Amino acid sequence: MDSTAGSLEARAAIVTLPTAVLAQDAVRFDPPLPASHRQAIEALPLGVCNKVFFRLRDMQGFARNLPRHFIGSGGTSRTCSWEALPGGRPLLMAYFGGDLSAELEKRGELVQFARDELRRIFGGGVFNELDDALATAWGSDPCSLGSYSAARPGHADARSRLAEPVSERLHLAGEACAVHHYGTLYGAWLSGVAAAERLL
Ligand SMILES: Cc1cc2nc3c(=O)[nH]c(=O)nc-3n(C[C@H](O)[C@H](O)[C@H](O)COP(=O)(O)OP(=O)(O)OC[C@H]3O[C@@H](n4cnc5c(N)ncnc54)[C@H](O)[C@@H]3O)c2cc1C
């Protein structure tokens, strides 16, 4: 393996790049990946989910009375879902999915949209309870180019095709290769373990 950081030699490799990164040829394979793997990559594009985190000033009053989960609006999909105190931390987290997430990320408007939702739900006083905000940007992060894979309609079998050994020495693994637990950490982990077991 050759990279700008140097070269490595190994008996075998398990590559766990996201499918969107593989599709962009940011990493070149020599010989190129077989057609069946390239087709599987094309069939498993990444969606763009994002999160906005607001830091709560404290864990008292407002924070204590927040529902654990709530939806910004029941009448439209152009909304986000909210989680209060994720992991017991003084945070209020907005979760965005679908086209809205990609659109807002591109325009740099995730935080503003989340603030508008909070104002509509709680009134302007809510901002006295919040400190700074931080938004993810999974769609534009060059090491992700998306959040998690979604099989194109009719292509659910692409996951098992992607997980097939490329050669005796090269296997792909990661979330997109997980037939049952795709889109999760444990699916990614299990697919890596399966690839390692095949190689050892
Ligand atoms: C908003 C959001 C919420 C989520 N919530 C949950 C959850 O609650 N529970 C859960 O189980 N899962 C959750 N997931 C999914 C979980 O994070 C992923 O399924 C998992 O991280 C995928 O692991 P992976 O190893 O396949 O890919 P990644 O974690 O994406 O790892 C790929 C690696 O490749 C590296 N890389 C990329 N390009 C290059 C390059 N050119 N050269 C070298 N290295 C490169 C990246 O830096 C990265 O380290 C969530 C994901 C998102 C986006």
Side-chain angles (χ1 to χ4, degrees), residues 16-18 21-22 26-27 46-51 95-96 136 138 141-144 146-149 173-177 181-189 191:
T16 65
L17 294 168
V21 174
L22 286 168
V27 173
L46 301 190
V48 180
C49 292
N50 274 303
K51 292 180 176 177
Y95 183 96
F96 291 84
T136 60
W138 292 116
D141 183 323
C143 287
S144 301
S147 49
Y148 21 58
S149 64
E175 166 279 307
C177 294
H181 304 297
Y182 50 85
T184 68
L185 276 176
Y186 45 95
W189 169 265
S191 79

Side-chain angles (χ1 to χ4, degrees), residues 97-197:
D99 293 343
L100 179 67
S101 174
E103 253 174 57
L104 293 175
E105 180 187 329
K106 256 192 205 131
R107 297 206 301 261
E109 291 175 4
L110 282 159
V111 172
Q112 189 54 50
F113 188 98
R115 286 176 65 88
D116 291 346
E117 286 234 314
L118 285 177
R119 184 181 293 105
R120 196 168 38 72
I121 298 167
F122 297 107
V126 67
F127 299 114
N128 298 328
E129 308 290 342
L130 306 175
D131 271 332
D132 46 345
L134 189 71
T136 60
W138 292 116
S140 49
D141 183 323
C143 287
S144 301
L145 300 176
S147 49
Y148 21 58
S149 64
R152 292 191 194 282
H155 291 279
D157 64 333
R159 298 188 187 282
S160 47
R161 281 191 282 121
L162 191 65
E164 278 168 20
V166 174
S167 71
E168 261 178 38
R169 301 175 64 202
L170 178 62
H171 290 218
L172 303 183
E175 166 279 307
C177 294
V179 173
H180 299 296
H181 304 297
Y182 50 85
T184 68
L185 276 176
Y186 45 95
W189 169 265
L190 290 172
S191 79
V193 170
E197 281 172 350

